[in-house]
Amino acid sequence: MVEKVLEPEHARELHKHILNRAYRKYSLLTVVWVLGALTHAGFVGFFYKYGTPELGGYNILSVLMWLSAGWLTRQGKLSAAIWIIFFEIIVFAALSAHYVGLDAGFHNYIWCLAALMVISPSIHVLAGVALAFLSMGIYGLLYVFFDARVSTNIPDSLWTPLHVCNAVIAAVPVIFSIGTVRRTFENQHMKFERLANYDSLTGLPNRRLGARALQDRRLDPDSSSNIVALADVDYFKTINDRYGHEIGDAVLLAIANFLKSALREQDLACRWGGEEFLILLSNTRMDSAAAILERIRKDLSEAQLIPEFPELRVTMSFGLASRGSQESDQTISEWLARADAKLYQAKRDGRNRVLS
């Protein structure tokens, strides 16, 4: 089957959709709109009680705007939701500065708006940064054009708690934004680590991680005996030529799963390259290691790895070399060379066998 190749523009739209969906699911924007709706709902009564009905009425409108932003978020229309939030916060900051002054701290919500602009995947990063700077510019202008405190019915004892409350509420989205960035970096780091250390087809450790494991085994003074085995799929080129490379990849994946299920917990199997696998057996005598791999060889040769092709039978050849006290001075290359020599001999002697 020939896979359809996505056009670049379609691929970008698909990627954007996936980002938006993941962002919506997280969801920082959900935290923001829920917090915004609850905050404004709580301040409706506050403003009416202390003689600022203009702000009380605007807060009713704000609740409706935040709920609309929440509905748009759930529909995946993040850009529209963010523009509603942007407009609401800027207008509310200006109105509150005009009617009650800056000491109330309502303008601090611009800080969370700036963070939201930068981190939103539905806004281009340069546009997000520009909007964040615009938001902070408006924040600074509020100090130029408005007084610290306007004559209202708000008691003096409430100004400090009100300012602290607004600052804390405004800090919540900022903290969530920082957490989102950190989680993104951690996920990327884990992804790169996996790409660097694990084979993308089989999921097994790759040659890099296998070489590191070999070095650890070589330097481990507590290991009385370590066995390395090189295993190669017999007639793999014939499988590719007859069944195609997709089936060849399926065979390698099936073998990898077979090895993972057949080996012990302390053992390690990794894809060494192409159709070759490296197996490390820890604290094992040579006769026990040979018996383990002989059982694996036999079971594999009798297994039906690809159900769609019941006639396809896969065999492997194994070459073993020990890492006991007598070989303690040998390098990793020499250790592998001994295993590779045994594998070559197994191939030469007819394949589908274990040689130690």
Side-chain angles (χ1 to χ4, degrees):
M1 181 178 69
V2 179
E3 295 184 356
K4 182 179 178 181
V5 179
L6 292 177
E7 295 294 332
E9 186 63 30
H10 187 192
R12 283 192 292 270
E13 288 299 320
L14 180 61
H15 182 250
K16 182 179 178 181
H17 170 73
I18 293 172
L19 278 177
N20 286 346
R21 184 178 179 184
Y23 182 76
R24 188 166 73 252
K25 182 181 179 181
Y26 172 60
S27 110
L28 172 62
L29 199 54
T30 297
V31 171
V32 171
W33 77 256
V34 170
L35 186 63
L38 292 176
T39 299
H40 283 288
F43 279 124
V44 170
F46 176 87
F47 287 120
Y48 277 111
K49 179 178 180 179
Y50 292 110
T52 318
E54 298 87 354
L55 284 180
Y58 181 78
N59 273 260
I60 294 175
L61 177 60
S62 294
V63 171
L64 297 176
M65 294 175 70
W66 282 98
L67 292 176
S68 298
W71 181 83
L72 290 169
T73 298
R74 294 179 65 86
Q75 297 300 313
K77 300 175 181 179
L78 302 188
S79 294
I82 288 173
W83 281 116
I84 289 177
I85 293 172
F86 182 88
F87 176 80
E88 194 284 323
I89 289 179
I90 294 298
V91 173
F92 178 62
L95 288 177
S96 62
H98 172 73
Y99 284 106
V100 299
L102 299 175
D103 280 357
F106 290 107
H107 62 301
N108 287 327
Y109 295 116
I110 293 178
W111 282 97
C112 67
L113 177 62
L116 186 64
M117 292 297 104
V118 173
I119 202 172
S120 173
S122 61
I123 300 177
H124 190 277
V125 60
L126 293 180
V129 171
L131 287 171
F133 275 109
L134 174 62
S135 302
M136 298 314 302
I138 294 173
Y139 180 87
L141 289 175
L142 294 178
Y143 282 93
V144 176
F145 292 103
F146 296 101
D147 296 329
R149 188 175 298 187
V150 178
S151 178
T152 64
N153 295 328
I154 300 175
D156 291 341
S157 60
L158 288 183
W159 282 94
T160 298
L162 182 61
H163 189 98
V164 171
C165 176
N166 285 322
V168 170
I169 294 174
V172 172
V174 176
I175 294 171
F176 268 84
S177 299
I178 296 171
T180 300
V181 173
R182 175 175 176 175
R183 193 176 75 159
T184 299
F185 276 117
E186 289 176 348
N187 289 342
Q188 287 296 322
H189 178 72
M190 292 174 60
K191 180 180 178 180
F192 291 143
E193 279 288 314
R194 182 160 187 84
L195 288 174
N197 294 309
Y198 290 86
D199 178 58
S200 59
L201 173 64
T202 63
L204 291 177
N206 61 15
R207 191 183 188 100
R208 181 175 183 267
L209 194 57
R212 187 188 305 169
L214 283 171
Q215 182 68 18
D216 292 341
R217 297 297 196 281
R218 180 176 180 270
L219 298 176
D220 185 4
D222 297 327
S223 284
S224 58
S225 180
N226 291 296
I227 307 295
V228 64
L230 288 175
D232 190 82
V233 182
D234 296 328
Y235 302 109
F236 186 69
K237 184 178 183 303
T238 302
I239 295 174
N240 275 334
D241 292 342
R242 181 175 178 181
Y243 296 96
H245 288 278
E246 288 187 1
I247 298 302
D249 288 346
V251 167
L252 293 177
L253 177 59
I255 289 174
N257 292 332
F258 189 92
L259 291 176
K260 283 189 286 188
S261 62
L263 289 172
R264 303 167 303 175
E265 184 177 351
Q266 70 265 32
D267 299 329
L268 175 71
C270 49
R271 189 179 181 190
W272 199 241
E275 66 272 22
E276 191 172 38
F277 296 83
L278 180 139
I279 300 171
L280 273 171
L281 299 108
S282 301
N283 298 324
T284 307
R285 300 190 308 272
M286 179 59 78
D287 55 347
S288 298
I292 292 172
L293 294 182
E294 176 60 28
R295 172 178 52 81
I296 292 175
R297 181 206 64 77
K298 182 177 182 297
D299 291 344
L300 180 64
S301 66
E302 297 172 353
Q304 186 176 310
L305 296 181
I306 310 298
E308 295 83 358
F309 299 96
E311 78 282 1
L312 176 58
R313 288 293 186 267
V314 179
T315 63
M316 294 185 74
S317 301
F318 298 80
L320 284 69
S322 63
R323 179 67 192 171
S325 57
Q326 294 180 348
E327 298 87 9
S328 59
D329 294 331
Q330 69 180 349
T331 65
I332 292 176
S333 297
E334 292 169 339
W335 190 14
L336 288 172
R338 293 172 54 236
D340 192 55
K342 292 295 184 180
L343 174 61
Y344 179 79
Q345 183 180 344
K347 291 283 191 180
R348 186 179 56 192
D349 290 350
R351 296 178 171 83
N352 192 24
R353 62 194 63 223
V354 177
L355 288 185
S356 58

